[in-house]
Amino acid sequence: MKRVGVIGGGQLAWMMADAAQKLGVELVVQTPSVHDPAVSIAKETVFAPVDDATATEILAQKCDVITFENEFVNLDALSVLAHQGVCFRPRLEALAPLLDKYHQRCYLGGLGLPVPQFFALDEVENLKSKIEYLGFPVVLKSRRHGYDGQGTFIIQDFATLEQKLNDETITKTLNQSLFLLEEFVPFERELAIIAARSVEGKIVTYPVVETQQEQQVCRRVIAPAEITPNQVAEIQAIAHTLLNSLEVVGIFGIELFLSADGKILVNEIAPRTHNSGHFSIDACETSQFEQHLRAVCGLPLGNPALQCAGAVMVNLLGYENSHSDYQSQRQQIAEIPQAHVHWYGKTESRPGRKLGHVTVLLDNQNRESASAIAIAHSIESIWYPT
Ligand code: ADP
């Protein structure tokens, strides 16, 4: 039996549980808190922050291969373990160009993939000329440790930019010298693709989806996205180029912008399973979580195709500070035809925190994105207080 170590114990690790059982794989998790979702499904847990490489050394002794549900790791420290023979999948070299958003943009650009215009915000003297080049609004991003829009700011004018850069709370937590400045992309839609690559180098891709963000946080995902076959092919080609060049083993999520004139830009790479692929649990033959475990265990990849006409996924985000488990709202949502509710079992709700998600399977009668959005809104009207 294969034992897979997972760095990170949030919902992404928790959602590997069913697949692990199906494949006869045991999960050993490294995560700081006993309350983290994956602790309940792990065979064993090493309680430590994800960037604690000493803990990862202990994790390594308990498993055959180590993978990631969270990329906020200390690569330099982990590379010592890799040199000692610890097997990381994806390998650390595949993560190295991605963990800093500035390095990531440089890497993607170097591969010839389309990315927004960007600058590192290193010298403040050059700020004015960079802004003149990009124009307002401009997007300020923390180069590391950003997620769910934390560390991403859309800025309308110079005064606000200076204020943000001088804001003590931000500079303290995010470190001013580690900012990236990029053009605001007036996208028509946001898209994403989940792709997996096996040990042998075979790649499979999931259907391209449309993602809808509010305040930079993913609210809903519609599968498949209503885009042209050429656009699908272009996005699949981006996934192939990226996964092959990094020699990835495992799942990557790729977030993209689609402009009004049909151009595609890569926004961000997630070197792990991704929120935009959650629909695959209920809608595809092989979920992204099973696919990831298959890849890292050296098993043949499964079929990523939709088993229904489409699907809509809605995140259940916290909207208050509470210890409620929202039983009655979940029950009401579960009564929607073809709805599958996934509740991550977090003991504490906070505004914006991902507490669970719902996937509703669509058939030929309601597969258009207008119907999908109507279903999403009906879920949200049950979930969020008016
Ligand atoms: P995070 O790592 O926090 O998810 P992202 O870079 O994915 O940060 O940004 C979150 C969201 O912010 C995106 O999904 C998009 O809606 C918006 N956003 C990010 N960058 C840009 C940009 N350059 N132009 C327009 N919107 C952007």
Side-chain angles (χ1 to χ4, degrees):
M1 192 195 291
K2 276 266 185 187
R3 291 192 119 207
V4 177
V6 184
I7 300 186
Q11 64 266 18
L12 299 177
W14 177 77
M15 283 184 270
M16 289 176 189
D18 286 348
Q21 194 168 23
K22 176 176 167 186
L23 299 174
V25 164
E26 287 178 351
L27 301 177
V28 187
V29 168
Q30 174 178 337
T31 201
S33 165
V34 68
H35 298 299
D36 291 338
V39 173
S40 65
I41 57 91
K43 182 81 186 164
E44 213 178 315
T45 303
V46 177
F47 289 103
V50 295
D51 61 356
D52 180 343
T54 315
T56 306
E57 193 171 0
I58 296 166
L59 179 73
Q61 288 157 9
K62 299 175 187 293
C63 49
D64 307 304
V65 55
I66 291 181
T67 191
F68 307 87
E69 76 108 53
N70 180 315
E71 64 275 30
F72 300 151
V73 293
N74 180 343
L75 278 189
D76 288 338
L78 292 185
S79 66
V80 176
L81 301 181
H83 281 122
Q84 290 165 1
V86 175
C87 176
F88 292 97
R89 286 182 178 160
R91 67 201 179 104
L92 304 180
E93 291 83 350
L95 301 184
L98 303 178
L99 301 193
D100 174 314
K101 289 188 187 197
Y102 175 72
H103 294 157
Q104 184 182 120
R105 286 250 182 282
C106 294
Y107 185 79
L108 296 172
L111 289 178
L113 300 180
V115 291
Q117 302 273 6
F118 66 101
F119 293 106
L121 218 163
D122 39 11
E123 300 150 54
V124 180
E125 310 86 84
N126 293 335
L127 195 55
K128 276 225 155 78
S129 67
K130 287 171 180 173
I131 292 288
E132 264 160 35
Y133 182 79
L134 295 175
F136 281 108
V138 78
V139 182
L140 181 70
K141 288 186 180 178
S142 132
R143 286 172 57 168
R144 284 195 59 121
H145 293 166
Y147 71 100
D148 288 350
Q150 307 281 325
T152 294
F153 309 96
I154 297 167
I155 302 219
Q156 302 293 342
D157 54 56
F158 202 80
T160 316
L161 178 62
E162 280 195 315
Q163 196 193 331
K164 269 274 177 251
L165 292 173
N166 292 328
D167 186 330
E168 234 195 302
T169 52
I170 289 176
T171 45
K172 228 187 255 162
T173 46
L174 300 177
N175 192 345
Q176 173 169 333
S177 64
L178 292 175
F179 274 111
L180 165 72
L181 200 59
E182 66 182 31
E183 72 172 301
F184 176 81
V185 179
F187 56 81
E188 188 214 62
R189 274 179 284 168
E190 290 188 80
L191 306 172
I193 189 168
I194 299 289
R197 189 172 175 279
S198 71
V199 171
E200 288 85 27
K202 183 172 185 255
I203 291 177
V204 299
T205 56
Y206 284 79
V208 177
V209 298
E210 175 179 346
T211 66
Q212 298 187 346
Q213 275 63 231
E214 283 178 24
Q215 270 120 36
Q216 284 99 54
V217 182
C218 176
R219 287 285 293 261
R220 358 188 147 80
V221 171
I222 299 164
E226 285 177 5
I227 55 173
T228 67
N230 280 344
Q231 289 167 335
V232 170
E234 194 182 329
I235 291 168
Q236 287 172 340
I238 289 171
H240 279 253
T241 301
L242 179 71
L243 271 70
N244 278 332
S245 81
L246 288 170
E247 295 176 32
V248 170
V249 173
I251 287 266
F252 269 30
I254 305 174
E255 299 173 19
L256 310 120
F257 297 126
L258 176 65
S259 70
D261 58 356
K263 288 208 184 68
I264 287 158
L265 294 175
V266 179
N267 175 29
E268 195 181 28
I269 310 301
R272 51 169 164 75
T273 57
H274 190 249
N275 198 171
S276 65
H278 290 359
F279 72 95
S280 64
I281 299 175
D282 303 298
C284 298
E285 186 176 323
T286 311
S287 77
Q288 64 165 344
F289 301 99
E290 177 178 342
Q291 200 73 277
H292 186 69
L293 287 176
R294 285 183 162 278
V296 303
C297 291
L299 298 168
L301 298 181
N303 173 13
L306 278 169
Q307 301 298 293
C308 48
V312 55
M313 191 280 323
V314 179
N315 276 333
L316 302 177
L317 301 177
Y319 51 81
E320 61 178 359
N321 291 304
S322 161
H323 289 279
S324 172
D325 65 358
Y326 301 97
Q327 192 75 53
S328 90
Q329 279 142 289
R330 281 155 55 195
Q331 185 55 42
Q332 269 189 69
I333 293 168
E335 281 161 18
I336 294 171
Q338 297 295 329
H340 299 259
V341 179
H342 300 260
W343 186 252
Y344 308 150
K346 296 182 183 177
T347 51
E348 231 186 301
S349 167
R350 287 190 299 273
R353 193 167 193 215
K354 288 174 177 164
L355 302 176
H357 75 264
V358 190
T359 299
V360 177
L361 305 183
L362 307 175
D363 56 31
N364 284 322
Q365 268 66 57
N366 64 0
R367 64 183 300 178
E368 278 77 34
S369 66
S371 317
I373 288 167
I375 292 170
H377 286 150
S378 69
I379 292 168
E380 288 166 349
S381 70
I382 297 170
W383 176 251
Y384 296 102
T386 43

